[in-house]
Amino acid sequence: MNPCLDDLMRRRPALAACSASLTNALDVLADCFRHGHRVYLCGNGGSAADCEHWAAELMKGFRLRRPPRTKREHGLPVALRGLQEGLPMIPLTGYTSLRTAVSNDLGPDLEFAQPLWVLGQTGDVLVALSTSGRSLNVLRAAQVARARSMRVIALTGASGGLLRRLADPCVRVPEVETHLVQEAHLAVYHALSLALEEMFFGAAGAPPNVARPRR
């Protein structure tokens, strides 16, 4: 297992039940970024905040500094040389005007599905957060991802709900109450972020392929 995930299990022994799905999730995310693809996130309420939080950990430095790679820094104005490298982790919880228009015109269950239908490509990954695994707008996004030949990673509570059938892997933390599921999700995505950061930006890290594949 990855050292960052090992550390998570030591600090939160109850999450050992998720060790296989967490390792699988890390492999899926790493493969996605390594091949120049993107990760999209969706969730509601506290899970929407988690989407934004998780994206922030990967779109800029988390624990490590990530100065621009030498080739990319060449030609940058001095004022821009404080920029950092990142991994394309895009929360579908943004796009306020689009989501409210979709909710009003097409139905609230399609608010994440519509932007993913437009943006998602084969090889991309959807990360779907739902404490119950039953959130309809999250399920619809997962269905779009499957139609687009995207992988789906789910973070849920103990049951996994309907979402577990659409996800591979489904990380089902061993909690039932919403706030406890969300506390566990925070620990999970922090560990995954640390692992990915070390993998791509650590001393021995290989930079991701930043080229965007064509449709």
Side-chain angles (χ1 to χ4, degrees), residues 2 4-5 26 190-200:
N2 179 275
C4 295
L5 299 185
L26 178 59
H190 269 174
L192 290 171
S193 296
L194 289 168
L196 288 163
E197 183 173 63
E198 182 60 35
M199 195 177 294
F200 288 104

Side-chain angles (χ1 to χ4, degrees), residues 30-100:
D31 186 67
C32 173
F33 292 132
R34 195 174 288 121
H35 290 92
H37 298 291
R38 295 175 181 171
V39 174
Y40 298 92
L41 305 104
C42 65
N44 297 295
S47 295
D50 283 328
C51 292
E52 301 281 346
H53 185 170
W54 194 351
E57 310 298 20
L58 291 181
M59 291 281 283
K60 60 171 288 297
F62 182 24
R63 187 170 60 181
L64 302 178
R65 292 186 68 252
R66 305 181 198 167
R69 304 283 178 181
T70 304
K71 280 186 179 179
R72 296 185 71 186
E73 185 179 33
H74 182 70
L76 276 178
V78 173
L80 295 181
R81 293 188 181 176
L83 292 171
Q84 296 187 336
E85 295 293 347
L87 297 169
M89 194 90 164
I90 301 166
L92 298 172
T93 48
Y95 304 102
T96 304
S97 295
L98 171 61
R99 286 194 303 105
T100 53

